[in-house]
């Protein structure tokens, strides 16, 4: 019984430390409104969501209502990447990704802020 209790305490401390570290990392990162490389990234569409329900497509501000039309008008070979701001809660990122996938005729991939294009 002693080993089970020690393992449970260790697991709890590890989990709490991991969650605290992730929150600290999320606060330090800023979204990239324009992916590095600029116009040389032909065929790629970058959709960025910033806090306050602000959206950007390839660096240009866009209203949420215009997203379906913009995503639907992309050429067949376009790659669509969703880059959420690091400060967005995980639940909001998941809902936004599901929304983009529902309104886009092409697959939408999740790009992590620290990974870049």
């Amino acid at each position: 019984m002693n080993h089970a209790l020690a393992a449970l305490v260790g697991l709890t401390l590890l989990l709490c430390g991991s969650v605290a570290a992730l929150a600290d990392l999320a606060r330090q990162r800023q979204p990239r409104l324009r992916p590095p490389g600029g116009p040389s990234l032909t065929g790629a569409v970058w959709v960025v969501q910033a806090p306050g329900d602000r959206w950007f497509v390839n660096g240009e501000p866009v209203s949420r209502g215009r997203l379906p039309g913009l995503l639907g008008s992309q050429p067949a070979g376009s790659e669509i990447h969703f880059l959420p701001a690091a400060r967005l809660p995980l639940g909001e990122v998941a809902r936004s990704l599901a929304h983009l996938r529902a309104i886009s005729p092409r697959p939408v991939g999740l790009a992590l802020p620290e990974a870049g294009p």
Side-chain angles (χ1 to χ4, degrees):
M1 199 59 130
N2 257 349
H3 294 301
L5 182 59
L8 182 61
V9 168
L11 182 62
T12 302
L13 290 174
L14 180 65
L15 181 62
C16 290
S18 299
V19 169
L22 286 175
D24 188 45
L25 285 173
R27 268 187 254 120
Q28 293 176 0
R29 305 227 189 268
Q30 295 295 323
R32 294 181 192 166
L33 298 181
R34 193 175 295 269
S40 67
L41 293 173
T42 57
V45 177
W46 288 85
V47 179
V48 176
Q49 181 184 13
D53 202 34
R54 294 177 302 153
W55 293 85
F56 302 85
V57 174
N58 288 342
E60 300 298 322
V62 173
S63 68
R64 185 180 185 107
R66 285 189 50 214
L67 283 173
L70 284 173
L71 296 179
S73 67
Q74 298 304 315
S78 297
E79 294 180 11
I80 300 175
H81 304 279
F82 173 52
L83 181 63
R87 293 183 180 183
L88 292 176
L90 184 59
E92 187 173 347
V93 171
R95 283 188 297 275
S96 296
L97 181 60
H99 172 71
L100 288 173
R101 287 179 173 168
I103 64 172
S104 174
R106 284 158 202 67
V108 177
L110 178 63
L112 300 177
E114 64 272 3

